[in-house]
Amino acid sequence: MDHFSPENIQDFKSLIARDIESGEESKLVEYLTAVLEEMLRREPDLLLSSLYRMDVSERDVHEVLEGKRGRVERSLAELIIDRQRISLETRKKFPQPKIEDPEASF
């Protein structure tokens, strides 16, 4: 399973952003919970590094993994969604101009 692989993490973040903006968060939480459950069983190190790449709070992740926030998989899904929501809000507040790269046309 490579849902959180470095190659597709940006695509995954885009899908999360789309679902947040469309109001489909309940379906997203259920889907992420299932993915995270499998990743915790099969690839916990990859999951943890992916959470780091998504900039999910390390302290919050530790609290979840220590059982301080309820069901681990669902709590991690909620942390991912919350972090992506914050990223979306920040990008809206502080839009970055597109940088034109003259070498990109080659």
PDB file of all heavy atoms in Angstrom, residues 76-105:
ATOM      1  N   LEU A  76      -5.816  10.106  14.168  1.00  0.00           N
ATOM      2  CA  LEU A  76      -4.798  10.508  13.195  1.00  0.00           C
ATOM      3  C   LEU A  76      -5.445  11.101  11.944  1.00  0.00           C
ATOM      4  O   LEU A  76      -4.950  12.098  11.398  1.00  0.00           O
ATOM      5  CB  LEU A  76      -3.913   9.316  12.820  1.00  0.00           C
ATOM      6  CG  LEU A  76      -2.929   8.845  13.872  1.00  0.00           C
ATOM      7  CD1 LEU A  76      -2.217   7.571  13.404  1.00  0.00           C
ATOM      8  CD2 LEU A  76      -1.920   9.927  14.224  1.00  0.00           C
ATOM      9  N   ALA A  77      -6.542  10.502  11.501  1.00  0.00           N
ATOM     10  CA  ALA A  77      -7.258  11.040  10.340  1.00  0.00           C
ATOM     11  C   ALA A  77      -7.715  12.471  10.617  1.00  0.00           C
ATOM     12  O   ALA A  77      -7.567  13.356   9.762  1.00  0.00           O
ATOM     13  CB  ALA A  77      -8.460  10.155  10.008  1.00  0.00           C
ATOM     14  N   GLU A  78      -8.236  12.704  11.793  1.00  0.00           N
ATOM     15  CA  GLU A  78      -8.687  14.047  12.151  1.00  0.00           C
ATOM     16  C   GLU A  78      -7.518  15.031  12.226  1.00  0.00           C
ATOM     17  O   GLU A  78      -7.648  16.185  11.818  1.00  0.00           O
ATOM     18  CB  GLU A  78      -9.463  14.005  13.463  1.00  0.00           C
ATOM     19  CG  GLU A  78     -10.801  13.305  13.306  1.00  0.00           C
ATOM     20  CD  GLU A  78     -11.485  12.963  14.611  1.00  0.00           C
ATOM     21  OE1 GLU A  78     -10.864  13.123  15.688  1.00  0.00           O
ATOM     22  OE2 GLU A  78     -12.650  12.517  14.552  1.00  0.00           O
ATOM     23  N   LEU A  79      -6.366  14.576  12.722  1.00  0.00           N
ATOM     24  CA  LEU A  79      -5.178  15.439  12.753  1.00  0.00           C
ATOM     25  C   LEU A  79      -4.737  15.818  11.342  1.00  0.00           C
ATOM     26  O   LEU A  79      -4.385  16.973  11.080  1.00  0.00           O
ATOM     27  CB  LEU A  79      -4.015  14.744  13.472  1.00  0.00           C
ATOM     28  CG  LEU A  79      -4.087  14.605  14.974  1.00  0.00           C
ATOM     29  CD1 LEU A  79      -2.877  13.826  15.488  1.00  0.00           C
ATOM     30  CD2 LEU A  79      -4.166  15.968  15.655  1.00  0.00           C
ATOM     31  N   ILE A  80      -4.753  14.860  10.432  1.00  0.00           N
ATOM     32  CA  ILE A  80      -4.367  15.131   9.044  1.00  0.00           C
ATOM     33  C   ILE A  80      -5.316  16.150   8.431  1.00  0.00           C
ATOM     34  O   ILE A  80      -4.886  17.119   7.800  1.00  0.00           O
ATOM     35  CB  ILE A  80      -4.352  13.828   8.217  1.00  0.00           C
ATOM     36  CG1 ILE A  80      -3.198  12.938   8.677  1.00  0.00           C
ATOM     37  CG2 ILE A  80      -4.245  14.129   6.729  1.00  0.00           C
ATOM     38  CD1 ILE A  80      -3.252  11.533   8.118  1.00  0.00           C
ATOM     39  N   ILE A  81      -6.600  15.946   8.610  1.00  0.00           N
ATOM     40  CA  ILE A  81      -7.595  16.857   8.037  1.00  0.00           C
ATOM     41  C   ILE A  81      -7.455  18.246   8.648  1.00  0.00           C
ATOM     42  O   ILE A  81      -7.479  19.255   7.927  1.00  0.00           O
ATOM     43  CB  ILE A  81      -9.014  16.288   8.218  1.00  0.00           C
ATOM     44  CG1 ILE A  81      -9.165  15.040   7.346  1.00  0.00           C
ATOM     45  CG2 ILE A  81     -10.074  17.340   7.881  1.00  0.00           C
ATOM     46  CD1 ILE A  81     -10.403  14.227   7.638  1.00  0.00           C
ATOM     47  N   ASP A  82      -7.284  18.319   9.957  1.00  0.00           N
ATOM     48  CA  ASP A  82      -7.113  19.626  10.605  1.00  0.00           C
ATOM     49  C   ASP A  82      -5.885  20.349  10.064  1.00  0.00           C
ATOM     50  O   ASP A  82      -5.924  21.549   9.804  1.00  0.00           O
ATOM     51  CB  ASP A  82      -6.992  19.477  12.121  1.00  0.00           C
ATOM     52  CG  ASP A  82      -8.307  19.102  12.782  1.00  0.00           C
ATOM     53  OD1 ASP A  82      -9.369  19.243  12.132  1.00  0.00           O
ATOM     54  OD2 ASP A  82      -8.270  18.651  13.947  1.00  0.00           O
ATOM     55  N   ARG A  83      -4.783  19.627   9.901  1.00  0.00           N
ATOM     56  CA  ARG A  83      -3.555  20.249   9.399  1.00  0.00           C
ATOM     57  C   ARG A  83      -3.747  20.744   7.976  1.00  0.00           C
ATOM     58  O   ARG A  83      -3.299  21.823   7.611  1.00  0.00           O
ATOM     59  CB  ARG A  83      -2.382  19.257   9.469  1.00  0.00           C
ATOM     60  CG  ARG A  83      -1.099  19.826   8.938  1.00  0.00           C
ATOM     61  CD  ARG A  83      -0.666  21.029   9.780  1.00  0.00           C
ATOM     62  NE  ARG A  83       0.446  21.692   9.172  1.00  0.00           N
ATOM     63  CZ  ARG A  83       0.391  22.929   8.662  1.00  0.00           C
ATOM     64  NH1 ARG A  83      -0.713  23.644   8.706  1.00  0.00           N
ATOM     65  NH2 ARG A  83       1.463  23.457   8.119  1.00  0.00           N
ATOM     66  N   GLN A  84      -4.426  19.967   7.156  1.00  0.00           N
ATOM     67  CA  GLN A  84      -4.669  20.396   5.780  1.00  0.00           C
ATOM     68  C   GLN A  84      -5.628  21.584   5.726  1.00  0.00           C
ATOM     69  O   GLN A  84      -5.484  22.459   4.879  1.00  0.00           O
ATOM     70  CB  GLN A  84      -5.176  19.227   4.936  1.00  0.00           C
ATOM     71  CG  GLN A  84      -4.130  18.147   4.740  1.00  0.00           C
ATOM     72  CD  GLN A  84      -2.800  18.693   4.279  1.00  0.00           C
ATOM     73  OE1 GLN A  84      -2.713  19.366   3.261  1.00  0.00           O
ATOM     74  NE2 GLN A  84      -1.750  18.421   5.033  1.00  0.00           N
ATOM     75  N   ARG A  85      -6.592  21.618   6.626  1.00  0.00           N
ATOM     76  CA  ARG A  85      -7.503  22.762   6.707  1.00  0.00           C
ATOM     77  C   ARG A  85      -6.714  24.036   7.026  1.00  0.00           C
ATOM     78  O   ARG A  85      -6.918  25.087   6.410  1.00  0.00           O
ATOM     79  CB  ARG A  85      -8.586  22.529   7.750  1.00  0.00           C
ATOM     80  CG  ARG A  85      -9.606  23.655   7.802  1.00  0.00           C
ATOM     81  CD  ARG A  85     -10.679  23.456   8.858  1.00  0.00           C
ATOM     82  NE  ARG A  85     -11.465  22.258   8.581  1.00  0.00           N
ATOM     83  CZ  ARG A  85     -11.451  21.143   9.320  1.00  0.00           C
ATOM     84  NH1 ARG A  85     -10.698  21.060  10.392  1.00  0.00           N
ATOM     85  NH2 ARG A  85     -12.206  20.126   9.008  1.00  0.00           N
ATOM     86  N   ILE A  86      -5.801  23.946   7.975  1.00  0.00           N
ATOM     87  CA  ILE A  86      -4.961  25.092   8.337  1.00  0.00           C
ATOM     88  C   ILE A  86      -4.110  25.528   7.139  1.00  0.00           C
ATOM     89  O   ILE A  86      -3.990  26.726   6.857  1.00  0.00           O
ATOM     90  CB  ILE A  86      -4.072  24.752   9.558  1.00  0.00           C
ATOM     91  CG1 ILE A  86      -4.943  24.613  10.807  1.00  0.00           C
ATOM     92  CG2 ILE A  86      -2.987  25.807   9.766  1.00  0.00           C
ATOM     93  CD1 ILE A  86      -4.233  23.978  11.993  1.00  0.00           C
ATOM     94  N   SER A  87      -3.552  24.569   6.426  1.00  0.00           N
ATOM     95  CA  SER A  87      -2.748  24.887   5.241  1.00  0.00           C
ATOM     96  C   SER A  87      -3.582  25.609   4.188  1.00  0.00           C
ATOM     97  O   SER A  87      -3.125  26.584   3.581  1.00  0.00           O
ATOM     98  CB  SER A  87      -2.161  23.614   4.628  1.00  0.00           C
ATOM     99  OG  SER A  87      -1.210  23.050   5.463  1.00  0.00           O
ATOM    100  N   LEU A  88      -4.798  25.135   3.965  1.00  0.00           N
ATOM    101  CA  LEU A  88      -5.689  25.784   3.000  1.00  0.00           C
ATOM    102  C   LEU A  88      -5.997  27.219   3.405  1.00  0.00           C
ATOM    103  O   LEU A  88      -5.963  28.134   2.583  1.00  0.00           O
ATOM    104  CB  LEU A  88      -7.001  25.011   2.873  1.00  0.00           C
ATOM    105  CG  LEU A  88      -6.975  23.717   2.102  1.00  0.00           C
ATOM    106  CD1 LEU A  88      -8.294  22.980   2.274  1.00  0.00           C
ATOM    107  CD2 LEU A  88      -6.703  23.991   0.640  1.00  0.00           C
ATOM    108  N   GLU A  89      -6.318  27.412   4.671  1.00  0.00           N
ATOM    109  CA  GLU A  89      -6.632  28.755   5.158  1.00  0.00           C
ATOM    110  C   GLU A  89      -5.426  29.685   5.018  1.00  0.00           C
ATOM    111  O   GLU A  89      -5.578  30.846   4.622  1.00  0.00           O
ATOM    112  CB  GLU A  89      -7.086  28.694   6.619  1.00  0.00           C
ATOM    113  CG  GLU A  89      -8.441  28.036   6.786  1.00  0.00           C
ATOM    114  CD  GLU A  89      -8.799  27.738   8.228  1.00  0.00           C
ATOM    115  OE1 GLU A  89      -8.018  28.063   9.143  1.00  0.00           O
ATOM    116  OE2 GLU A  89      -9.878  27.149   8.439  1.00  0.00           O
ATOM    117  N   THR A  90      -4.258  29.180   5.310  1.00  0.00           N
ATOM    118  CA  THR A  90      -3.042  29.986   5.190  1.00  0.00           C
ATOM    119  C   THR A  90      -2.789  30.368   3.740  1.00  0.00           C
ATOM    120  O   THR A  90      -2.458  31.521   3.441  1.00  0.00           O
ATOM    121  CB  THR A  90      -1.825  29.225   5.761  1.00  0.00           C
ATOM    122  OG1 THR A  90      -2.090  28.924   7.132  1.00  0.00           O
ATOM    123  CG2 THR A  90      -0.563  30.044   5.651  1.00  0.00           C
ATOM    124  N   ARG A  91      -2.941  29.407   2.829  1.00  0.00           N
ATOM    125  CA  ARG A  91      -2.743  29.712   1.404  1.00  0.00           C
ATOM    126  C   ARG A  91      -3.744  30.733   0.893  1.00  0.00           C
ATOM    127  O   ARG A  91      -3.415  31.541   0.032  1.00  0.00           O
ATOM    128  CB  ARG A  91      -2.820  28.439   0.569  1.00  0.00           C
ATOM    129  CG  ARG A  91      -1.513  27.697   0.566  1.00  0.00           C
ATOM    130  CD  ARG A  91      -1.540  26.514  -0.383  1.00  0.00           C
ATOM    131  NE  ARG A  91      -1.448  25.338   0.457  1.00  0.00           N
ATOM    132  CZ  ARG A  91      -2.205  24.279   0.389  1.00  0.00           C
ATOM    133  NH1 ARG A  91      -3.137  24.194  -0.520  1.00  0.00           N
ATOM    134  NH2 ARG A  91      -2.048  23.272   1.205  1.00  0.00           N
ATOM    135  N   LYS A  92      -4.959  30.703   1.412  1.00  0.00           N
ATOM    136  CA  LYS A  92      -5.955  31.693   0.996  1.00  0.00           C
ATOM    137  C   LYS A  92      -5.624  33.082   1.529  1.00  0.00           C
ATOM    138  O   LYS A  92      -5.810  34.076   0.850  1.00  0.00           O
ATOM    139  CB  LYS A  92      -7.354  31.265   1.461  1.00  0.00           C
ATOM    140  CG  LYS A  92      -7.925  30.138   0.648  1.00  0.00           C
ATOM    141  CD  LYS A  92      -9.291  29.728   1.162  1.00  0.00           C
ATOM    142  CE  LYS A  92      -9.831  28.542   0.396  1.00  0.00           C
ATOM    143  NZ  LYS A  92     -11.104  28.068   0.919  1.00  0.00           N
ATOM    144  N   LYS A  93      -5.144  33.139   2.777  1.00  0.00           N
ATOM    145  CA  LYS A  93      -4.802  34.423   3.387  1.00  0.00           C
ATOM    146  C   LYS A  93      -3.551  35.035   2.780  1.00  0.00           C
ATOM    147  O   LYS A  93      -3.435  36.252   2.684  1.00  0.00           O
ATOM    148  CB  LYS A  93      -4.583  34.263   4.891  1.00  0.00           C
ATOM    149  CG  LYS A  93      -5.832  34.085   5.687  1.00  0.00           C
ATOM    150  CD  LYS A  93      -5.502  33.982   7.169  1.00  0.00           C
ATOM    151  CE  LYS A  93      -6.733  33.672   7.991  1.00  0.00           C
ATOM    152  NZ  LYS A  93      -6.408  33.469   9.405  1.00  0.00           N
ATOM    153  N   PHE A  94      -2.609  34.200   2.406  1.00  0.00           N
ATOM    154  CA  PHE A  94      -1.319  34.664   1.919  1.00  0.00           C
ATOM    155  C   PHE A  94      -0.969  33.993   0.591  1.00  0.00           C
ATOM    156  O   PHE A  94      -0.034  33.196   0.518  1.00  0.00           O
ATOM    157  CB  PHE A  94      -0.217  34.364   2.949  1.00  0.00           C
ATOM    158  CG  PHE A  94      -0.505  34.902   4.308  1.00  0.00           C
ATOM    159  CD1 PHE A  94      -0.950  34.058   5.319  1.00  0.00           C
ATOM    160  CD2 PHE A  94      -0.350  36.253   4.591  1.00  0.00           C
ATOM    161  CE1 PHE A  94      -1.218  34.550   6.585  1.00  0.00           C
ATOM    162  CE2 PHE A  94      -0.629  36.752   5.850  1.00  0.00           C
ATOM    163  CZ  PHE A  94      -1.060  35.894   6.852  1.00  0.00           C
ATOM    164  N   PRO A  95      -1.718  34.340  -0.455  1.00  0.00           N
ATOM    165  CA  PRO A  95      -1.450  33.698  -1.745  1.00  0.00           C
ATOM    166  C   PRO A  95      -0.057  34.080  -2.262  1.00  0.00           C
ATOM    167  O   PRO A  95       0.405  35.199  -2.085  1.00  0.00           O
ATOM    168  CB  PRO A  95      -2.544  34.243  -2.650  1.00  0.00           C
ATOM    169  CG  PRO A  95      -3.022  35.484  -2.000  1.00  0.00           C
ATOM    170  CD  PRO A  95      -2.762  35.335  -0.539  1.00  0.00           C
ATOM    171  N   GLN A  96       0.597  33.110  -2.852  1.00  0.00           N
ATOM    172  CA  GLN A  96       1.925  33.323  -3.415  1.00  0.00           C
ATOM    173  C   GLN A  96       1.802  33.523  -4.916  1.00  0.00           C
ATOM    174  O   GLN A  96       1.107  32.755  -5.589  1.00  0.00           O
ATOM    175  CB  GLN A  96       2.821  32.110  -3.130  1.00  0.00           C
ATOM    176  CG  GLN A  96       3.055  31.864  -1.666  1.00  0.00           C
ATOM    177  CD  GLN A  96       3.830  33.000  -1.032  1.00  0.00           C
ATOM    178  OE1 GLN A  96       4.840  33.432  -1.566  1.00  0.00           O
ATOM    179  NE2 GLN A  96       3.362  33.487   0.091  1.00  0.00           N
ATOM    180  N   PRO A  97       2.476  34.550  -5.433  1.00  0.00           N
ATOM    181  CA  PRO A  97       2.435  34.727  -6.889  1.00  0.00           C
ATOM    182  C   PRO A  97       3.163  33.575  -7.573  1.00  0.00           C
ATOM    183  O   PRO A  97       4.103  33.001  -7.014  1.00  0.00           O
ATOM    184  CB  PRO A  97       3.175  36.042  -7.101  1.00  0.00           C
ATOM    185  CG  PRO A  97       4.032  36.207  -5.902  1.00  0.00           C
ATOM    186  CD  PRO A  97       3.318  35.514  -4.771  1.00  0.00           C
ATOM    187  N   LYS A  98       2.706  33.231  -8.758  1.00  0.00           N
ATOM    188  CA  LYS A  98       3.351  32.175  -9.497  1.00  0.00           C
ATOM    189  C   LYS A  98       4.707  32.666  -9.982  1.00  0.00           C
ATOM    190  O   LYS A  98       4.826  33.767 -10.514  1.00  0.00           O
ATOM    191  CB  LYS A  98       2.487  31.784 -10.693  1.00  0.00           C
ATOM    192  CG  LYS A  98       2.264  30.347 -10.840  1.00  0.00           C
ATOM    193  CD  LYS A  98       1.394  29.998 -11.986  1.00  0.00           C
ATOM    194  CE  LYS A  98       1.074  28.540 -11.838  1.00  0.00           C
ATOM    195  NZ  LYS A  98       0.183  28.094 -12.849  1.00  0.00           N
ATOM    196  N   ILE A  99       5.700  31.861  -9.790  1.00  0.00           N
ATOM    197  CA  ILE A  99       7.037  32.225 -10.224  1.00  0.00           C
ATOM    198  C   ILE A  99       7.259  31.679 -11.618  1.00  0.00           C
ATOM    199  O   ILE A  99       7.112  30.479 -11.873  1.00  0.00           O
ATOM    200  CB  ILE A  99       8.093  31.646  -9.250  1.00  0.00           C
ATOM    201  CG1 ILE A  99       7.890  32.236  -7.878  1.00  0.00           C
ATOM    202  CG2 ILE A  99       9.500  31.913  -9.776  1.00  0.00           C
ATOM    203  CD1 ILE A  99       8.755  31.623  -6.806  1.00  0.00           C
ATOM    204  N   GLU A 100       7.584  32.579 -12.520  1.00  0.00           N
ATOM    205  CA  GLU A 100       7.847  32.166 -13.885  1.00  0.00           C
ATOM    206  C   GLU A 100       9.300  31.716 -13.990  1.00  0.00           C
ATOM    207  O   GLU A 100      10.216  32.445 -13.634  1.00  0.00           O
ATOM    208  CB  GLU A 100       7.604  33.333 -14.860  1.00  0.00           C
ATOM    209  CG  GLU A 100       6.166  33.803 -14.892  1.00  0.00           C
ATOM    210  CD  GLU A 100       5.225  32.729 -15.418  1.00  0.00           C
ATOM    211  OE1 GLU A 100       5.616  31.965 -16.324  1.00  0.00           O
ATOM    212  OE2 GLU A 100       4.086  32.653 -14.924  1.00  0.00           O
ATOM    213  N   ASP A 101       9.484  30.500 -14.438  1.00  0.00           N
ATOM    214  CA  ASP A 101      10.818  29.943 -14.602  1.00  0.00           C
ATOM    215  C   ASP A 101      11.129  29.900 -16.085  1.00  0.00           C
ATOM    216  O   ASP A 101      10.561  29.097 -16.819  1.00  0.00           O
ATOM    217  CB  ASP A 101      10.864  28.537 -14.002  1.00  0.00           C
ATOM    218  CG  ASP A 101      12.240  27.926 -14.053  1.00  0.00           C
ATOM    219  OD1 ASP A 101      13.176  28.575 -14.566  1.00  0.00           O
ATOM    220  OD2 ASP A 101      12.390  26.780 -13.578  1.00  0.00           O
ATOM    221  N   PRO A 102      12.045  30.783 -16.550  1.00  0.00           N
ATOM    222  CA  PRO A 102      12.334  30.812 -17.975  1.00  0.00           C
ATOM    223  C   PRO A 102      12.918  29.498 -18.491  1.00  0.00           C
ATOM    224  O   PRO A 102      12.768  29.169 -19.654  1.00  0.00           O
ATOM    225  CB  PRO A 102      13.349  31.946 -18.125  1.00  0.00           C
ATOM    226  CG  PRO A 102      13.847  32.238 -16.756  1.00  0.00           C
ATOM    227  CD  PRO A 102      12.836  31.726 -15.796  1.00  0.00           C
ATOM    228  N   GLU A 103      13.534  28.710 -17.615  1.00  0.00           N
ATOM    229  CA  GLU A 103      14.106  27.442 -18.047  1.00  0.00           C
ATOM    230  C   GLU A 103      13.061  26.326 -18.098  1.00  0.00           C
ATOM    231  O   GLU A 103      13.327  25.268 -18.660  1.00  0.00           O
ATOM    232  CB  GLU A 103      15.243  27.045 -17.112  1.00  0.00           C
ATOM    233  CG  GLU A 103      16.424  27.986 -17.198  1.00  0.00           C
ATOM    234  CD  GLU A 103      17.546  27.588 -16.269  1.00  0.00           C
ATOM    235  OE1 GLU A 103      17.580  26.405 -15.859  1.00  0.00           O
ATOM    236  OE2 GLU A 103      18.373  28.444 -15.984  1.00  0.00           O
ATOM    237  N   ALA A 104      11.888  26.567 -17.525  1.00  0.00           N
ATOM    238  CA  ALA A 104      10.853  25.539 -17.507  1.00  0.00           C
ATOM    239  C   ALA A 104      10.281  25.258 -18.893  1.00  0.00           C
ATOM    240  O   ALA A 104       9.689  24.211 -19.129  1.00  0.00           O
ATOM    241  CB  ALA A 104       9.737  25.937 -16.567  1.00  0.00           C
ATOM    242  N   SER A 105      10.449  26.167 -19.827  1.00  0.00           N
ATOM    243  CA  SER A 105       9.871  25.984 -21.159  1.00  0.00           C
ATOM    244  C   SER A 105      10.723  25.080 -22.039  1.00  0.00           C
ATOM    245  O   SER A 105      10.330  24.750 -23.127  1.00  0.00           O
ATOM    246  CB  SER A 105       9.684  27.335 -21.825  1.00  0.00           C
ATOM    247  OG  SER A 105      10.936  27.988 -21.968  1.00  0.00           O
TER     248      SER A 105
END
